[in-house]
Amino acid sequence: MELQLKIRLLLLTAISLMIASCEKDTIFPQEEHSANQRFRQSMDWNELHPYQDIVTSSDDYAILFMGDSHIGSTKNLISFVNTAKTSNAAAIVMAGDLTTGEKEDCDKLETCLPPSSSLLSFLTVGNHDLWPGNGWNEFYNRFGASVYLFTVKTTGGTDLFISLDTGSGTLGAEQLAWFEDVLQNQRPDYRRCIVFTHNNFFRFRHTETDNPPVEELNKLIELFTRHHVDMLVAGHDHKRDAVVFGITTYVVMEPCKDGADNAGYLALRVKNGEIKYCFENFD
Amino acid sequence: MRTSSTNIQTDTNLKQTNMHSTSGSGIFIISILLVTCTSLVAQPGLIIYTDAGMNNVSDGLFIKAAALGYYKFGKNRVEAGFESSLNNNNDILLSGYTINASRNLAGKGLPLELQGFCTWTRNSEFLRETNWGALLKMRLNGLEMKIGTNFRTYAFRNRVVDEYGIDRDAVRIHENFNVMYSFGYYLKKADDKWNAGLSVTNIDCFMINQETNPSLCLHGFCKPGSQVCLYAESWYKTSGATNLAINHFGFYFRTGIIWNFN
């Protein structure tokens, strides 16, 4: 009798698993915010809002990157934006976990962003931005796509910047196909290629934060190498790291979060096609 | 602001992290030494299985097949095998090799088994992956637990290193240690004529995922004869489980046979 009960329980689990495997678009409560769904919404947004092209007057420009501000409070974020303005940066890039997904935090972030007429901001989501359930809606309604690209045209060449959405720990099949298509068909037209996203790729230290599954990591490294991606800028791990693997430099930024001992950001400079970067810390 | 590093162009001041493969190989060698205490009756056997499934990077259906031969003597067991990709989106045919050795350390009422292993896999045309490690297994009534650690190295294949002019310092990368686990529950306490169970794990024969990317595995088997065991498994893979934003990654089904020659 006890065995029959166990069998029934197991059968129920088996059926649930089968449904989860085959009907992946309905099984998770957060499915409306799945990687594929966010990608589709991002593409819809991109159709209405063409990719930005930044033009500089010389072959020397800087872009400041940050991530993991986890608003809350905004002291470091305001400092970051002010630094970008005073240093005449071409743009700022914000690589996810900018908020905790709450409406009030998204409002604060929106308030802190500079007007696009003075400084362009490029944002993507991290896992915390998707949480709680309506985090993605809050983000999307204010800031738009999490998957897109922008370019910087200088007197010496044009560089390509690609934003990827790894908020769910995977790109998802559709975003991966889009990324591969961009690399195959557009990457050859550009001088440098820099990808930014939230999740870091490698486990340089033992941590509870997750990375793309091994199968996806293999695919991404192959794509980065095959198509000469120069750099990946990520956050997520809250600890700086940088390693050259193949022909790509994989950078993990420190958090921009107020109160973090190692709070900081990344300054990237491209001069005559040469990429240089440095980690900066807030006092 | 304070600047804590000067401008860096490429690989200066960058590091290849955590040279752990030495300690991983040490664990493996210890396991081999344990096995050298040979015993009396030898039991050779063969495991053959096939996987079919899809995931976010497979670009459609993938099919894999694997064969592993094992040899039991006394409390020890050695096993070696390979995996072949029969249908995938790249040109890899032989996608994995593995060798492992284990010893039964069963004490009073606590069945323990220690395994040392090394696995080589090729999931990409560009990369090869090496994993060394050790795994402790315990089965108590219907509960099964495996826990261990592995050390992963990604390396570019020689052809790619030449073709893309990759610097010698940037050919491979060693990750920090990873926790391997499997927590399972079986319907029946002992593996009699049949059994079935469910487990949460990041371990498979030729694939060890990060501890933050668990899979669900439903497995069952039956023994139509004393020498043969037929089994089937359904695997469901997720991503982002510790990210607060879990997402479907893939699934596959496995069918296999275990043939004990004695």
Side-chain angles (χ1 to χ4, degrees):
Chain A
M1 196 64 189
E2 187 188 354
L3 190 61
Q4 281 186 349
L5 181 64
K6 286 180 178 177
I7 290 171
R8 284 176 191 167
L9 281 172
L10 202 65
L11 271 174
L12 181 67
T13 312
I15 291 164
S16 303
L17 265 176
M18 294 286 283
I19 293 169
S21 301
C22 304
E23 299 293 333
K24 58 180 186 280
D25 283 345
T26 57
I27 194 69
F28 289 121
Q30 288 185 313
E31 187 52 39
E32 67 272 19
H33 302 149
S34 74
N36 280 341
Q37 184 63 27
R38 294 199 305 277
F39 171 75
R40 286 175 213 141
Q41 286 183 260
S42 292
M43 291 301 107
D44 290 343
W45 175 277
N46 293 336
E47 279 194 13
L48 298 172
H49 304 82
Y51 298 134
Q52 299 274 0
D53 300 309
I54 299 171
V55 180
T56 64
S57 56
S58 68
D59 197 3
D60 183 4
Y61 67 91
I63 292 182
L64 302 191
F65 289 73
M66 60 75 86
D68 297 285
S69 50
H70 294 269
I71 298 169
S73 55
T74 56
K75 182 180 166 224
N76 285 345
L77 176 62
I78 291 169
S79 178
F80 170 77
V81 171
N82 288 338
T83 304
K85 285 178 181 170
T86 53
S87 62
N88 206 23
I92 55 174
V93 169
M94 307 170 87
D97 274 8
L98 309 176
T99 69
T100 57
E102 299 286 353
K103 179 181 180 301
E104 299 75 31
D105 297 332
C106 291
D107 289 339
K108 285 183 191 174
L109 175 59
E110 192 173 19
T111 309
C112 291
L113 290 183
S116 58
S117 55
S118 65
L119 181 64
L120 287 172
S121 310
F122 297 96
L123 284 66
T124 191
V125 289
N127 49 303
H128 282 271
D129 298 307
L130 305 175
W131 191 260
N134 61 345
W136 166 245
N137 288 340
E138 299 290 348
F139 181 96
Y140 184 74
N141 291 336
R142 290 170 177 78
F143 313 116
S146 58
V147 184
Y148 58 90
L149 52 88
F150 71 90
T151 62
V152 180
K153 185 177 184 180
T154 74
T155 53
T158 307
D159 301 325
L160 176 66
F161 291 76
I162 303 172
S163 170
L164 297 180
D165 179 342
T166 49
S168 300
T170 174
L171 267 64
E174 295 178 30
Q175 185 181 184
L176 185 64
W178 173 85
F179 181 51
E180 191 166 3
D181 181 68
V182 167
L183 290 177
Q184 273 179 357
N185 298 313
Q186 298 187 48
R187 169 68 183 100
D189 299 335
Y190 297 96
R191 182 179 61 179
R192 294 292 189 182
C193 178
I194 293 162
V195 175
F196 59 96
T197 190
H198 180 62
N199 277 20
N200 57 308
F201 280 15
F202 301 110
R203 297 178 75 76
F204 296 132
R205 66 189 183 107
H206 192 247
T207 169
E208 294 75 35
T209 60
D210 69 355
N211 316 91
V214 168
E215 300 95 319
E216 185 165 312
L217 203 48
N218 273 274
K219 177 74 176 178
L220 288 170
I221 296 166
E222 179 181 327
L223 288 176
F224 277 39
T225 309
R226 188 189 293 277
H227 300 289
H228 295 268
V229 172
D230 295 288
M231 182 179 279
L232 172 80
V233 181
H236 194 48
D237 198 29
H238 289 214
K239 192 173 188 310
R240 89 164 57 162
D241 228 313
V243 65
V244 178
F245 185 43
I247 53 179
T248 307
T249 303
Y250 296 85
V251 176
V252 183
M253 294 184 290
E254 289 165 328
C256 190
K257 184 180 181 180
D258 288 358
D261 292 338
N262 60 342
Y265 63 93
L266 184 88
L268 181 101
R269 187 166 185 178
V270 183
K271 187 176 183 181
N272 300 324
E274 189 179 49
I275 300 174
K276 295 181 178 180
Y277 66 90
C278 61
F279 295 101
E280 302 275 4
N281 288 104
F282 297 106
D283 288 325
Chain B
M1 306 287 173
R2 59 190 155 88
T3 303
S4 56
S5 66
T6 55
N7 287 354
I8 304 165
Q9 187 199 343
T10 52
D11 58 348
T12 54
N13 290 347
L14 301 180
K15 60 187 178 187
Q16 299 288 318
T17 56
N18 303 317
M19 296 289 292
H20 282 301
S21 54
T22 308
S23 51
S25 59
I27 293 167
F28 180 70
I29 289 166
I30 288 168
S31 300
I32 292 285
L33 287 174
L34 282 172
V35 166
T36 54
C37 310
T38 55
S39 183
L40 310 171
V41 183
Q43 286 186 321
L46 185 66
I47 302 169
I48 299 172
Y49 68 80
T50 306
D51 292 343
M54 297 173 77
N55 62 40
N56 286 350
V57 298
S58 66
D59 195 18
L61 179 74
F62 71 80
I63 299 174
K64 291 180 177 180
L68 300 104
Y70 65 84
Y71 194 75
K72 282 186 191 173
F73 46 103
K75 292 183 174 181
N76 310 305
R77 172 181 165 129
V78 289
E79 185 178 84
F82 66 92
E83 180 192 63
S84 178
S85 283
L86 302 178
N87 183 38
N88 58 20
N89 59 352
N90 53 43
D91 292 330
I92 300 164
L93 182 61
L94 282 173
S95 55
Y97 313 86
T98 186
I99 181 167
N100 66 67
S102 54
R103 182 173 173 83
N104 193 335
L105 304 173
K108 291 176 182 175
L110 192 63
L112 283 174
E113 186 181 319
L114 179 65
Q115 182 188 81
F117 66 88
C118 182
T119 302
W120 298 265
T121 47
R122 291 191 297 181
N123 292 304
S124 149
E125 292 175 41
F126 277 46
L127 290 173
R128 59 179 187 271
E129 187 186 326
T130 312
N131 282 286
W132 294 81
L135 195 62
L136 191 64
K137 304 177 186 177
M138 187 181 74
R139 176 83 181 265
L140 202 57
N141 298 325
L143 293 171
E144 185 182 66
M145 188 180 80
K146 300 176 188 174
I147 192 146
T149 189
N150 70 294
F151 303 93
R152 191 192 316 273
T153 300
Y154 296 103
F156 283 98
R157 296 172 70 180
N158 293 335
R159 173 186 63 78
V160 177
V161 172
D162 295 338
E163 189 177 337
Y164 289 85
I166 294 171
D167 288 344
R168 284 182 62 186
D169 291 344
V171 168
R172 57 178 46 82
I173 192 167
H174 305 288
E175 286 195 326
N176 207 326
F177 77 92
N178 182 51
V179 176
M180 305 162 64
Y181 57 84
S182 175
F183 302 103
Y185 179 69
Y186 285 86
L187 288 177
K188 298 172 76 177
K189 293 178 182 177
D191 293 343
D192 300 325
K193 289 282 184 189
W194 67 274
N195 208 345
L198 183 68
S199 58
V200 178
T201 181
N202 65 341
I203 314 164
D204 196 1
C205 292
F206 293 89
M207 171 71 68
I208 304 164
N209 241 308
Q210 302 97 333
E211 67 210 49
T212 48
N213 286 317
S215 300
L216 277 174
C217 177
L218 180 70
H219 34 158
F221 69 84
C222 68
K223 292 179 178 174
S226 61
Q227 290 180 294
V228 176
C229 174
L230 303 172
Y231 69 101
E233 293 174 346
S234 171
W235 289 74
Y236 181 63
K237 305 190 87 166
T238 63
S239 67
T242 57
N243 240 7
L244 308 177
I246 195 166
N247 206 94
H248 166 90
F249 182 75
F251 67 92
Y252 57 95
F253 300 103
R254 171 174 297 167
T255 52
I257 181 170
I258 302 171
W259 186 11
N260 189 339
F261 294 143
N262 274 356

